[in-house]
């Protein structure tokens, strides 16, 4: 995920979730807001998986090109690949966390809809989802994962 | 400063639009939003599987390329 797109995603997520929380507080349809939030979470998670796949291909293509051109030895290439795969798998856990949150939110929907304190629960969920989406780019950047779409 | 004002303006418009849309949503529209969110969550199951398959395939491909490169490297006795 390049810095421009990271910035756009974080900004869009913040704007949307501020709007959603304001909407819940203002008394508009809470479940529709909950649904929009979890839909956006699923989209962001899809983007996370897509970015990780693109970055993984980019990194491994570079390793392949170097070893083919004999710029690095086979052993160095293996070490480089193994080192990248550790980072890649850590990045993948960020995407998987979004995936799990999206599935949990989907499964929790009927319970939330039937709850007495539905408005509070939806507010909590939106805040939780919003916080997660807004931190995806930073989590990947902390792992040193840059580049890609 | 101009950027900040512009950003806050965009945010205010976004908040206002979202509140208006959600407040005026019909039951059919609400059902459509729910169906959309459910379909997005369901899509993730396939996306996750494709992600894993793509990752595994790329790793296998790279290991094959490395193995081929290693096989063509001169051994210590050849050097």
């Amino acid at each position: 995920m390049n810095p421009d797109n990271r910035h756009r995603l974080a900004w869009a997520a913040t704007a949307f979730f501020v709007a959603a929380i304001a909407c819940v507080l203002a008394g508009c349809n809470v479940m529709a807001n909950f649904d929009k939030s979890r839909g956006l979470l699923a989209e962001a998670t899809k983007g996370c998986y897509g970015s990780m796949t693109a970055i993984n291909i980019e990194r491994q293509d570079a390793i392949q090109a170097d070893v083919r051109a004999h710029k690095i030895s086979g052993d160095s290439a293996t070490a480089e690949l193994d080192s990248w795969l550790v980072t890649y798998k850590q990045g993948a856990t960020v995407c998987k966390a979004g995936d799990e949150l999206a599935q949990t939110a989907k499964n929790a929907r009927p319970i939330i809809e039937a709850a007495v304190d539905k408005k509070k629960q939806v507010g909590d969920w939106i805040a939780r989802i919003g916080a997660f989406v807004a931190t995806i780019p930073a989590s990947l950047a902390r792992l040193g994962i840059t580049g890609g779409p | 400063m101009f950027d900040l004002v512009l950003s806050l303006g965009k945010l205010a418009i976004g908040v206002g639009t979202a509140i208006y849309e959600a407040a005026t949503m019909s039951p059919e529209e609400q059902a459509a939003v729910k169906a959309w969110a459910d379909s997005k969550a369901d899509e993730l199951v396939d996306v996750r599987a494709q992600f894993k398959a793509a990752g595994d395939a790329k790793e296998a491909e790279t290991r094959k390329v490395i193995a081929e490169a290693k096989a063509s490297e001169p051994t210590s006795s050849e050097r």
Side-chain angles (χ1 to χ4, degrees):
Chain A
M1 199 178 284
N2 74 39
D4 278 354
N5 284 349
R6 263 206 304 270
H7 179 73
R8 279 191 206 110
L9 175 64
W11 173 249
T14 307
F16 175 77
F17 290 107
V18 167
I21 288 172
C23 193
V24 169
L25 293 174
C28 52
N29 190 298
V30 286
M31 291 316 289
N33 268 290
F34 176 62
D35 290 332
K36 280 186 183 177
S37 302
R38 61 193 185 89
L40 187 77
L41 168 66
E43 281 289 293
T45 303
K46 204 171 152 186
C48 181
Y49 279 133
S51 288
M52 285 304 299
T53 298
I55 294 164
N56 184 42
I57 289 171
E58 199 178 280
R59 294 285 169 99
Q60 293 200 38
D61 280 348
I63 296 172
Q64 288 183 24
D66 283 351
V67 77
R68 275 197 183 112
H70 300 293
K71 283 185 188 168
I72 53 172
S73 68
D75 287 341
S76 301
T78 303
E80 213 174 291
L81 175 64
D82 289 342
S83 162
W84 161 245
L85 287 175
V86 171
T87 307
Y88 168 71
K89 280 170 188 165
Q90 284 171 334
T93 59
V94 175
C95 308
K96 280 177 193 157
D99 199 337
E100 280 164 17
L101 190 58
Q103 303 307 334
T104 309
K106 185 186 170 196
N107 296 335
R109 194 188 187 285
I111 301 160
I112 295 168
E113 196 169 21
V116 181
D117 59 345
K118 182 163 71 177
K119 198 168 159 181
K120 186 196 171 296
Q121 287 203 26
V122 169
D124 289 349
W125 265 98
I126 292 174
R128 193 173 153 196
I129 291 172
F132 179 81
V133 172
T135 55
I136 292 175
S139 302
L140 296 183
R142 257 197 306 278
L143 293 169
I145 297 172
T146 53
Chain B
M1 185 63 191
F2 177 73
D3 282 350
L4 179 67
V5 172
L6 191 66
S7 297
L8 288 174
K10 279 185 195 167
L11 183 60
I13 292 168
V15 172
T17 307
I19 290 174
Y20 176 77
E21 279 177 0
T24 57
M25 210 176 253
S26 68
E28 291 77 25
E29 284 169 329
Q30 289 169 29
V33 173
K34 181 188 176 293
W36 168 77
D38 285 346
S39 72
K40 289 289 159 196
D42 293 340
E43 259 178 44
L44 279 181
V45 177
D46 291 334
V47 173
R48 190 194 316 142
Q50 285 164 11
F51 170 75
K52 190 175 180 322
D56 290 348
K58 193 68 194 173
E59 184 184 344
E61 178 194 305
T62 305
R63 293 211 185 274
K64 188 169 173 255
V65 169
I66 293 172
E68 284 166 1
K70 268 185 175 176
S72 68
E73 278 171 12
T75 59
S76 52
S77 59
E78 283 170 340
R79 275 189 221 114

